[in-house]
Amino acid sequence: MRTINIFLVLFSIAISGISQDISVKQQKIIEQLFKNKSELYFTFKIQDRSEIDILTKIISIDNVKNGSVWAYANKKEFKKFIVLNYKYKILKNPSHIKKVTTKEVVSVKQMNLITSYPSYTAYESLMSQYATNYPSICKLVNIGTLPSGRKLLILKITDNINNRENEPQFLYTTTMHGDETAGYIGMLNLIDYLLTNYGLDSRVTNLVNNIEIWINPLANPDGTYAGGNNTVNGATRYNGNAVDLNRNYPDPQAGQHPDGNNWQPETQFFINFADSMSFVMAGNFHGGAEVVNYPWDTWSTAHADENWWIRESQKYADTVFANSNSGYFTSITSNGITNGYDWYQITGGRQDYMNYYHHCREFTVETSNTKLLPTNDFINNWNYNFKSYLNYIEESTKGIRGIVTDACTNSAIKAKIYISGHDVDNSEVYSALPVGNYHRPIYQGTYNVTFSAPGYVTKTINGISVTDGLPSVVNVSLSPTNPIADFEVSSSNNCNGTVVFNDLSGSSNSWNWDFGDGTQSSLQNPTHTYVNSGIYSISLSTENCAGADSIFKNNYITVNVTTLP
């Protein structure tokens, strides 16, 4: 049970008592502030950290440190904020502080690192160029085209490019806040590094051969190119509809629409994409600070695998410290890592969405105090982070992993894999079809792991030992439960006598149908056409390696065959 903070209760009561009617003076201020802007960047002080729990539902908090808050708001959000009567200071939007260079043509070959921002057209061309130049290990996918015409592009990098294998699926995505661009450039350079070093560098080759890597360098193109396709100057945090995409996802605590907005096109495209995949691990890159942020963001409860999260986050930060100048990655904490909620609460974030709803392991990495990364910092930022990028990808092959199959047929099964007394808040994982492979990142130790699936006998394997840095391979076959024969008619056409039968017998692997007119079928869900009208009795016998069952339904269907003249 979470304790009730008295200050937060009093603060909530105070807010509820404030009139939500904007004064004439406040309305004039708002109209002036938003005259040529879709969002504001501002700062203010708080008396108690508990205020964040309320403020995070009103505005988009960007950073909290020593009682100071930095935040963004669109016009609707600022109207809610201004009536709280905080003393605030409007700041210059980060993308307007210093101009950066954008080029129409950007070509990356043999790790000539990017030295200028690509125009949007050049970005599309560059992503296409990668897929064209390396077709055996790289494929370009457009997961959605926005109303602006800009696309959410993602590259798949793996050795067997057109097939699913017994490999973890891994995702890197960045710049869902359009003015936070260090990750944008970092991921373009990482794509090039993986592609150009494949077959030459043993570590890169092993990563590409053993992991299905997906990289989306630009998750909010309308925000990054808010100033037009030929410049990133004027980039906005929010998308083209002035919505913060990192507050727009379903939230384990605050529900499906925590920000009060409909899912934006970008959000819906990513939700659909995530639904089609089985990501084991993921990283989401941001800017405006330098720190690894691990789950949860939405509540104070520790993640079931918090010890694993702390270890992996610290690995990322320590590798950064070993490859960067003194002072880098210490803007939030001295050790470079933080629990999300401990820093400041948000709801509707992508990180918590992936962890809770998709049983993934996603963290958020802030890689630059400067949001719109200057071009002369591109190479340093890459050198500081790229080994950490690789380490984190590689971790997806560790922990407990294996394949779950049917003991009768040896076919793949989608099964739930969980650790009783350990897993909570959807931290369990599932095997993925069509291969049946599962991957369970977890801290070193010894675990009793349970495997279950509908229609199968649950199995627990005790004493699975996990060592940091090594995989523990445990393949599991589940025995089907005894089948319980049953079926229904899923559709019929009495005009031509065609009837579709739907098997409801569970884990059966053989079927014997008698349609009551002297004909039979061994299909699981057969379609049968009756020649004559009549009332028919149907029987079904079914079995698997655990046993057999049968059912007889007398006078089950009436068929009226119409003879056309």
Side-chain angles (χ1 to χ4, degrees):
M1 178 182 293
R2 298 188 177 92
T3 58
I4 298 175
N5 187 304
I6 298 300
F7 184 91
L8 181 59
V9 172
L10 295 175
F11 181 59
S12 301
I13 293 172
I15 285 180
S16 65
I18 294 175
S19 170
Q20 295 302 301
D21 293 331
I22 304 291
S23 69
V24 174
K25 181 180 179 181
Q26 289 171 330
Q27 185 62 44
K28 286 183 178 179
I29 292 172
I30 291 171
E31 294 302 325
Q32 184 62 35
L33 290 173
F34 283 91
K35 187 174 182 180
N36 297 307
K37 293 182 177 181
S38 61
E39 64 185 34
L40 289 181
Y41 187 47
F42 57 101
T43 185
F44 59 95
K45 295 278 189 179
I46 56 174
Q47 297 180 41
D48 189 280
R49 190 197 178 282
S50 302
E51 296 171 52
I52 295 298
D53 294 347
I54 298 297
L55 289 165
T56 195
K57 297 175 176 64
I58 298 172
I59 55 179
S60 181
I61 294 174
D62 182 54
N63 200 349
V64 179
K65 192 171 184 179
N66 300 326
S68 293
V69 179
W70 289 263
Y72 288 78
N74 58 30
K75 192 173 184 179
K76 177 182 174 182
E77 293 164 344
F78 200 73
K79 282 183 178 180
K80 295 179 181 179
F81 172 78
I82 199 171
V83 299
L84 303 180
N85 293 320
Y86 281 96
K87 291 183 179 179
Y88 60 86
K89 179 181 179 182
I90 301 297
L91 303 174
K92 194 170 186 178
N93 280 46
S95 64
H96 291 272
I97 293 174
K98 186 177 180 179
K99 288 190 175 182
V100 295
T101 305
T102 309
K103 288 189 176 180
E104 277 296 308
V105 178
V106 176
S107 180
V108 182
K109 295 180 180 178
Q110 299 302 319
M111 277 316 297
N112 295 318
L113 293 174
I114 291 176
T115 56
S116 63
Y117 285 97
S119 68
Y120 177 75
T121 303
Y123 165 65
E124 274 201 18
S125 176
L126 186 58
M127 293 287 279
S128 179
Q129 177 186 328
Y130 287 134
T132 299
N133 291 351
Y134 302 92
S136 64
I137 59 170
C138 183
K139 176 185 285 188
L140 178 62
V141 178
N142 173 19
I143 66 172
T145 300
L146 302 174
S148 64
R150 300 186 182 109
K151 301 171 183 177
L152 297 185
L153 300 176
I154 188 165
L155 283 175
K156 175 185 178 183
I157 300 175
T158 192
D159 63 327
N160 197 346
I161 197 66
N162 292 314
N163 296 297
R164 293 284 290 273
E165 298 181 279
N166 180 17
E167 298 177 347
Q169 292 184 307
F170 182 93
L171 172 67
Y172 270 149
T173 182
T174 183
T175 314
M176 64 189 305
H177 289 151
D179 61 350
E180 298 171 4
T181 56
Y184 178 27
I185 300 303
M187 288 300 104
L188 288 174
N189 284 328
L190 177 61
I191 290 166
D192 186 78
Y193 183 83
L194 294 173
L195 297 178
T196 58
N197 282 283
Y198 180 73
L200 302 176
D201 179 278
S202 61
R203 188 183 191 192
V204 170
T205 303
N206 285 334
L207 289 175
V208 175
N209 284 348
N210 293 290
I211 305 169
E212 188 177 298
I213 303 168
W214 294 80
I215 302 178
N216 163 239
L218 188 57
N220 181 8
D222 284 353
T224 300
Y225 292 96
N229 281 347
N230 294 324
T231 182
V232 297
N233 296 301
T236 59
R237 176 187 181 90
Y238 292 6
N239 75 342
N241 295 328
V243 172
D244 187 333
L245 296 177
N246 205 35
R247 306 293 187 271
N248 191 236
Y249 279 84
D251 186 86
Q253 177 174 235
Q256 293 295 295
H257 300 282
D259 62 354
N261 295 307
N262 293 329
W263 292 331
Q264 295 298 290
E266 297 91 339
T267 306
Q268 189 63 68
F269 289 143
F270 267 103
I271 287 175
N272 293 341
F273 175 64
D275 285 344
S276 71
M277 308 295 286
S278 298
F279 286 117
V280 174
M281 288 174 55
N284 193 344
F285 293 95
H286 287 252
E290 294 164 1
V291 71
V292 178
N293 177 111
Y294 62 87
W296 301 94
D297 286 330
T298 190
W299 53 37
S300 59
T301 302
H303 191 282
D305 294 313
E306 183 167 36
N307 53 4
W308 179 87
W309 272 121
I310 291 172
R311 187 189 75 189
E312 293 311 310
S313 298
Q314 199 63 65
K315 280 183 184 178
Y316 188 103
D318 287 348
T319 304
V320 165
F321 291 142
N323 292 280
S324 63
N325 296 331
S326 177
Y328 178 70
F329 229 68
T330 59
S331 65
I332 303 301
T333 61
S334 60
N335 66 348
I337 74 172
T338 183
N339 169 265
Y341 186 90
D342 287 348
W343 185 12
Y344 62 91
Q345 181 194 28
I346 73 167
T347 57
R350 242 287 306 280
Q351 169 181 282
D352 285 3
Y353 166 74
M354 289 295 288
N355 282 282
Y356 188 83
Y357 292 98
H358 287 282
H359 311 278
C360 182
R361 301 295 184 270
E362 177 174 305
F363 66 6
T364 302
V365 186
E366 310 265 357
T367 63
S368 171
N369 286 332
T370 305
K371 287 175 175 280
L372 194 70
L373 189 69
T375 53
N376 58 5
D377 285 342
F378 283 7
I379 294 176
N380 280 342
N381 194 269
W382 164 257
N383 289 332
Y384 295 167
N385 285 277
F386 89 92
K387 290 182 179 178
S388 295
Y389 295 159
L390 300 179
N391 289 345
Y392 190 63
I393 295 173
E394 197 169 55
E395 187 61 31
S396 65
T397 64
K398 308 302 191 296
I400 307 170
R401 60 179 296 179
I403 296 178
V404 184
T405 55
D406 184 306
C408 293
T409 65
N410 204 36
S411 58
I413 297 172
K414 181 175 182 179
K416 178 181 178 180
I417 296 97
Y418 66 97
I419 302 167
S420 182
H422 175 91
D423 281 319
V424 66
D425 295 328
N426 288 7
S427 62
E428 74 276 6
V429 300
Y430 291 80
S431 55
L433 298 177
V435 179
N437 56 316
Y438 73 93
H439 306 266
R440 179 57 161 90
I442 200 165
Y443 196 73
Q444 57 264 28
T446 302
Y447 299 93
N448 302 330
V449 183
T450 299
F451 299 79
S452 67
Y456 291 86
V457 178
T458 297
K459 178 183 288 188
T460 297
I461 299 180
N462 297 320
I464 298 176
S465 179
V466 178
T467 302
D468 181 20
L470 296 173
S472 296
V473 179
V474 181
N475 296 321
V476 176
S477 61
L478 296 182
S479 298
T481 56
N482 287 321
I484 301 175
D486 194 12
F487 65 89
E488 66 180 4
V489 174
S490 60
S491 66
S492 63
N493 187 333
N494 284 338
C495 179
N496 60 19
T498 300
V499 179
V500 179
F501 295 91
N502 184 25
D503 168 52
L504 302 175
S505 301
S507 57
S508 305
N509 56 36
S510 70
W511 302 265
N512 185 15
W513 297 84
D514 188 318
F515 300 121
D517 64 350
T519 57
Q520 297 179 328
S521 173
S522 60
L523 298 177
Q524 180 178 5
N525 299 301
T527 298
H528 180 62
T529 300
Y530 289 90
V531 177
N532 300 310
S533 300
I535 300 174
Y536 294 92
S537 299
I538 315 298
S539 67
L540 169 64
S541 297
T542 183
E543 66 178 296
N544 59 31
C545 60
D549 191 29
S550 62
I551 188 171
F552 177 80
K553 294 188 178 183
N554 190 32
N555 298 337
Y556 185 61
I557 58 171
T558 301
V559 178
N560 296 310
V561 180
T562 301
T563 303
L564 298 178

